[in-house]
Amino acid sequence: MSREKLPEGWVGAMLGDVLDVNSGVGFPIKLQGKNSGDYPVYKVSDISLAVTKNNGNLSTAGHYISKEEAVELKGKIFRLGSTAFAKIGEAVKLNRRAIVQSPGLADNNVMVISAVLHEMDKFIFHFMNTIDLSEQARSTTVPSIRKGDIENIRLDLPSIYEQKIIAEKLDTLLAQVDSTKARLEQIPQILKRFRQSILASAVNGNLTEEWRKKNSLDIDNWEKINLGHIVKNIEAGKNLKCIETPPHDGQYGIIKISAVTWGKYDEDESKTLPDDSLFVESRRIATGDFLISRANTLELLGNPVIVKKVTKNLMLSDKVLRLVMADDDKPWVNIFLRSCYGRREIEFRSTGNQLSMRNIGQKALLEIPMPKPPAREQAEIVRRVEQLFAYADTIEKQVNNALTRVNNLTQSILAKAFRGELTAQWRAENPDLISGENSAAALMEKIKAERAASGGKKNSCKKA
């Protein structure tokens, strides 16, 4: 984080100047498996859990050992306030940091840093969240971090008093960001329930109850039919060995189940035919097609889509069916099959011994009972559902945009903190706390003296 001019009272340093870097120790299987003991033994999985479930506070582990076992391991006992992170693995693992809240050991896939002066712990923890360790990692098959990689990271250091102010501000601001993010992340599930309630109301007649009263109509006019009364024909494709990439530049291909799984037709979920002569023109996907999967997991089996746009030469696969029916009926059938009533019928009629892949036969599909409103009300229901779904889609898009901004906000706040921007006014109001014996330069001398006094002794089985 080098800059031409540092904030007043700050000094440039390396992490190795202000903290100790240590790796964990090998953790033999014979000592693993105890869920209680004198010391936790922190693994990468414990750090991940602390970050995702406990705001980065590392206080529990999946394994514990006794004091005697800790002596046997000759491992370092990392003190409260140390920062732990994975030293090997992909970027996601390398960039998770947790602050130790219960002294313990770590296994040899974990690296732990401890500030020479305990007062700097929270400042160091927040600073480490600005560092992308995947960029520091060695270029090996599995990226890894070494002690020197951490020690050579540049750190611009303020006085200890300003460090505390920065840490406090970050605790407050980042907690607000996390709270906002948590609320935003709940909204997609709320919208999912909203959409399901709309579909249920559409199918059971509640959505247009007031509309019927105004138009002097009655729900008794709804027919009780089977899907086979609407569907004129069912077309299936073939099972062909293909190239596992989507076709392009006029190539021919076949769709995967995933092309019809998520409520919208996705033609990029397709494979390329090895020979154009294998393409069956009568099974070509066209705009307006009503497609449905006949094989999938129980939750996703029978999910329908209506094709809105086609740009590729694609045909049906053996696991995706095309239901041929009048265009006016397609939106209503789509609504019914996606509703809880339609899902229940599909799941009930599915076959197969494994939940990972279920099937529904054409005969069973056509026998599904369903209501059918008069054409006028059917059109009104479709209009209302589409309007409400468009409203939900708009909200979901806004939420996703907000989440992107919130995710970027964390790094923006951290960057400002370690450029001294969050504490510019504080420095102006407290010049005595950033100069003389309170300056960052004096702090560096204090750290050197502390290190000299400790004699650089290793603290195996002692608190670091």
Side-chain angles (χ1 to χ4, degrees), residues 114-131:
S114 305
V116 174
L117 300 180
H118 297 195
E119 303 98 305
M120 294 177 60
D121 285 340
K122 208 57 180 294
F123 179 82
I124 293 297
F125 169 72
H126 283 306
F127 174 76
M128 286 303 296
N129 282 318
T130 71
I131 304 300

Side-chain angles (χ1 to χ4, degrees), residues 345-381:
E345 293 295 338
I346 287 171
E347 292 178 8
F348 175 73
R349 285 168 169 74
S350 68
T351 60
N353 296 323
Q354 296 180 342
L355 291 179
S356 59
M357 185 58 73
R358 304 282 284 188
N359 294 273
I360 185 165
Q362 295 186 21
K363 183 174 182 293
L365 193 63
L366 294 175
E367 289 175 348
I368 290 177
M370 62 178 292
K372 190 175 189 301
R376 185 181 169 201
E377 185 172 0
Q378 183 173 298
E380 178 64 18
I381 291 172

